[in-house]
Structure formats: structure tokens, C-alpha cells
Amino acid sequence: YEIYQCDWSSDVCSSDLTSLSAMMGRGNTAYALKDLATAESAFRDAARAHPDSAASLNNLASVLAERGNLAEALAAAERAVALGGPLLKQTAETLAEIREKADTAAREMAERQAAEQTAAEAGRAAAEAAAPAKPSPPQAGKPPARKRKPAPI
């Protein structure tokens, strides 16, 4: 059994699942169904098979960002913008959105780390304050005082 992909603009059907339109169709369909893993796979395959496709890189970048992989999303979006072409406006918008997400994530992480450090320092200070006082060390030149044994009665 074969799956056929139709190019409705020319009424030509083919079984070529490696065409850019077939790969993008698979990715866009998966994305619409909120199947981000399949969408990522389809757009990744399209970007690999068609490295000059700004659309595949742009869509891959969007899905990666949505899945929280911001570093790879930035790289894909930057490559899409570098290709230029008729999708430059859209790819530049995607890149700006991903940069904003990355900046927000970095800021939130820094705030969490600062809060954790403050809490840890407060915990140490509270533990030190609650700890029993340590006996002072013996003064130099004087032997430590000895406890007397009680006298027998």
C-alpha cells in the first residue's frame, strides 16, 4: 500500500514523501493536532533534506521553542533568517520571539537561583542561631578547668 501526496495546484499525484511539500504537510498536520514530537521530526527531516528551505527551519525553530529546546530553536531560527528570501519577515519575527523566550527563561532561572541561594543562607543563619553555644576555647597558658568529683557521703 502506498501513500500518495497530491500537488493540487497541478493535479499531479506522486508517492514522493521526500518532497518539501509532503514533509511540510506532515509537520503542519502534526502541529495542528498538537503532536509536537511528530511535527519536530517532520520539520527536522525537511530541514535536513532541503537545507535551503527557510520555511522548514522556521517551523522547526517554532516547535523546538515550544518544546523548551531554546538553544537549538535559536540556531534553527538564525539559519532561517540567514537564508533570507521571501519569508525573511516571518523568519525574523520567529527569531525575535524565540530570543524573547530565551531571555525570559534566563532571567527566571537567575531569579530562582538567587532565591534559592538566599533561602540557603537564611537556613544556615537560622541553624547557627539555634545551635547551642560552643564552650570558649581554653586561654593560652592556663590548663582547662577540671570538674571536681563529688565527695563521698
Side-chain angles (χ1 to χ4, degrees), residues 2 22 26 47 63 69 80 83 100 118 133 137-138 144 149:
E2 291 185 0
R26 178 175 164 245
V63 170
N69 189 346
L83 288 172
E100 186 176 326
T118 300
K149 290 185 183 180

Short mmCIF file of all heavy atoms in Angstrom, two decimals, residues 2 22 26 47 63 69 80 83 100 118 133 137-138 144 149:
data_model
loop_
_atom_site.label_atom_id
_atom_site.label_comp_id
_atom_site.label_asym_id
_atom_site.label_seq_id
_atom_site.Cartn_x
_atom_site.Cartn_y
_atom_site.Cartn_z
N GLU A 2 0.58 2.17 -0.82
CA GLU A 2 1.38 3.39 -0.97
C GLU A 2 0.56 4.60 -0.57
O GLU A 2 -0.65 4.64 -0.77
CB GLU A 2 1.85 3.57 -2.41
CG GLU A 2 2.88 2.56 -2.86
CD GLU A 2 3.40 2.87 -4.25
OE1 GLU A 2 2.95 3.85 -4.86
OE2 GLU A 2 4.23 2.10 -4.73
N ALA A 22 5.46 17.57 0.92
CA ALA A 22 4.98 16.41 1.69
C ALA A 22 5.50 16.47 3.12
O ALA A 22 4.75 16.24 4.08
CB ALA A 22 5.41 15.11 1.02
N ARG A 26 3.22 17.06 6.47
CA ARG A 26 3.25 16.15 7.63
C ARG A 26 3.50 16.93 8.91
O ARG A 26 2.81 16.74 9.92
CB ARG A 26 4.33 15.09 7.41
CG ARG A 26 4.47 14.12 8.55
CD ARG A 26 5.49 13.01 8.21
NE ARG A 26 5.88 12.35 9.43
CZ ARG A 26 7.09 12.36 9.95
NH1 ARG A 26 8.08 12.99 9.33
NH2 ARG A 26 7.36 11.74 11.07
N ALA A 47 14.22 19.97 6.96
CA ALA A 47 15.39 20.85 7.01
C ALA A 47 16.64 20.11 6.57
O ALA A 47 17.51 20.68 5.92
CB ALA A 47 15.56 21.42 8.41
N VAL A 63 8.69 24.89 16.76
CA VAL A 63 8.35 23.68 17.51
C VAL A 63 9.38 23.43 18.61
O VAL A 63 9.03 23.11 19.75
CB VAL A 63 8.22 22.45 16.57
CG1 VAL A 63 8.11 21.17 17.36
CG2 VAL A 63 7.03 22.62 15.65
N ASN A 69 13.31 23.62 23.94
CA ASN A 69 14.70 23.48 23.49
C ASN A 69 15.13 24.79 22.84
O ASN A 69 15.24 24.90 21.62
CB ASN A 69 14.80 22.30 22.51
CG ASN A 69 16.23 21.96 22.16
OD1 ASN A 69 17.15 22.73 22.43
ND2 ASN A 69 16.41 20.81 21.55
N ALA A 80 17.40 30.17 9.43
CA ALA A 80 16.27 30.55 8.57
C ALA A 80 16.40 32.01 8.15
O ALA A 80 16.21 32.34 6.97
CB ALA A 80 14.95 30.30 9.28
N LEU A 83 19.06 32.67 5.52
CA LEU A 83 18.71 32.29 4.15
C LEU A 83 18.03 33.43 3.41
O LEU A 83 18.02 33.47 2.18
CB LEU A 83 17.81 31.05 4.14
CG LEU A 83 18.50 29.74 4.51
CD1 LEU A 83 17.46 28.62 4.66
CD2 LEU A 83 19.54 29.36 3.47
N GLU A 100 13.21 36.41 22.75
CA GLU A 100 12.47 36.93 23.91
C GLU A 100 12.19 35.80 24.91
O GLU A 100 12.36 35.98 26.13
CB GLU A 100 11.16 37.57 23.46
CG GLU A 100 10.41 38.25 24.58
CD GLU A 100 9.17 38.97 24.09
OE1 GLU A 100 9.18 39.50 22.95
OE2 GLU A 100 8.18 39.00 24.85
N THR A 118 19.49 32.72 48.62
CA THR A 118 19.04 33.50 49.78
C THR A 118 18.41 32.58 50.82
O THR A 118 18.68 32.71 52.02
CB THR A 118 18.03 34.58 49.32
OG1 THR A 118 18.68 35.44 48.38
CG2 THR A 118 17.54 35.40 50.49
N ALA A 133 25.45 27.17 72.30
CA ALA A 133 26.71 27.92 72.30
C ALA A 133 27.86 26.96 72.55
O ALA A 133 27.80 26.08 73.39
CB ALA A 133 26.67 29.00 73.37
N PRO A 137 37.21 28.33 73.88
CA PRO A 137 38.44 27.53 73.96
C PRO A 137 39.27 28.01 75.16
O PRO A 137 39.17 29.15 75.59
CB PRO A 137 39.15 27.83 72.64
CG PRO A 137 38.53 29.08 72.14
CD PRO A 137 37.16 29.17 72.74
N PRO A 138 40.09 27.09 75.72
CA PRO A 138 40.90 27.47 76.87
C PRO A 138 41.86 28.60 76.49
O PRO A 138 42.32 28.68 75.36
CB PRO A 138 41.66 26.20 77.24
CG PRO A 138 41.49 25.27 76.10
CD PRO A 138 40.31 25.76 75.29
N PRO A 144 42.83 23.74 81.13
CA PRO A 144 41.38 23.77 81.25
C PRO A 144 40.96 23.39 82.67
O PRO A 144 41.60 22.59 83.33
CB PRO A 144 40.90 22.76 80.21
CG PRO A 144 42.07 21.96 79.82
CD PRO A 144 43.30 22.74 80.22
N LYS A 149 35.12 15.83 91.49
CA LYS A 149 34.25 14.70 91.79
C LYS A 149 33.53 15.02 93.09
O LYS A 149 34.12 15.59 94.00
CB LYS A 149 35.07 13.41 91.96
CG LYS A 149 35.65 12.92 90.66
CD LYS A 149 36.33 11.60 90.90
CE LYS A 149 36.98 11.12 89.64
NZ LYS A 149 37.65 9.85 89.81
#
